[in-house]
Amino acid sequence: MKESKENISEDFFDLSDGEVYFDEEDEYYDFESSDELEPEEEGDDLLSGSDHGGGFTILKAVLREAFGFLISLAVAWVAVMLLVTYVGTLCTVDGSSMENTLHDGDRLWADKLTYRFSDPQRFDIIIFPPQYDSDSKYIKRIIGLPGETIHIDEEGNIYIDGEIPEEDYGKETIRADLRNLAAGEITLGEDEYFVLGDNRNESLDSRYEIVGTVKRDDIFGKAVFRIWPLSGFGFLD
């Protein structure tokens, strides 16, 4: 029997047909079947190894994304804080003292950077705290500059150093009974500004002691742009 097995093995150990052969243990192999099984077994091994390696790769990717998001968030927060602290800020008008230029509910962009490099100019619209309430913010228009003398006569005319400035911002002529401090002459210090609301008969401003003149260092910013409503969108005059 042993010799016949060896003979059979020699007769059928022919790889050229690519079909079958017998090995020394008399086991039967199908070459086509074995070719299909080997990749499947290798695939099982790879899959088995990727369960751990793949999961770790995904975890690293998630952590990398989370870290990147936190960095972006931190950079954005710092940028916003620098913007609000040194460049400008959004503010909302409350009341009618600046009509017809500004209206209640208007959303404005206030520039805080310009006055770090230049002085406020006549007719700028500024934001500042009144003398009696440092936690509040008023918005008015600069009329008088440092060193000038302001006076309002009984006809409501505004005089600056004895001359009437060319301006038409006032909604109405100032009533005689609303001249208050400006019924006499007000001479401004080297760092003081005289301000009025454009709605001059409905405005608390430098004519009243509770507001007074505005110190240079107290100016919070310059209102330069209206964001809302869209009908008034644009730069302020």
Side-chain angles (χ1 to χ4, degrees), residues 143-155:
I143 300 298
L145 301 175
E148 295 179 336
T149 298
I150 312 299
H151 167 65
I152 301 175
D153 67 16
E154 292 184 355
E155 285 72 41

Side-chain angles (χ1 to χ4, degrees), residues 87-197:
V87 180
T89 188
L90 293 173
C91 56
T92 302
V93 176
D94 181 14
S96 60
S97 71
M98 281 296 292
E99 291 180 352
N100 288 320
T101 304
L102 302 175
H103 301 273
D104 185 49
D106 283 2
R107 294 279 286 168
L108 312 176
W109 171 258
D111 170 22
K112 298 170 65 177
L113 191 61
T114 298
Y115 293 156
R116 295 180 180 273
F117 303 100
S118 62
D119 292 327
Q121 301 298 307
R122 196 184 320 278
F123 305 134
D124 283 357
I125 299 174
I126 63 170
I127 299 168
F128 63 95
Q131 291 185 7
Y132 73 95
D133 185 5
S134 60
D135 292 330
S136 298
K137 295 290 187 296
Y138 278 20
I139 183 167
K140 308 292 178 184
R141 190 183 297 277
I142 292 177
I143 300 298
L145 301 175
E148 295 179 336
T149 298
I150 312 299
H151 167 65
I152 301 175
D153 67 16
E154 292 184 355
E155 285 72 41
N157 296 309
I158 302 170
Y159 289 85
I160 300 176
D161 289 340
E163 297 183 0
I164 300 175
E166 293 184 9
E167 59 96 16
D168 58 357
Y169 295 108
K171 180 179 179 180
E172 298 173 336
T173 301
I174 299 173
R175 291 183 358 220
D177 62 324
L178 297 178
R179 295 178 296 157
N180 292 285
L181 298 177
E185 292 186 346
I186 300 175
T187 300
L188 302 172
E190 294 181 356
D191 64 341
E192 292 181 327
Y193 296 83
F194 183 91
V195 299
L196 292 174

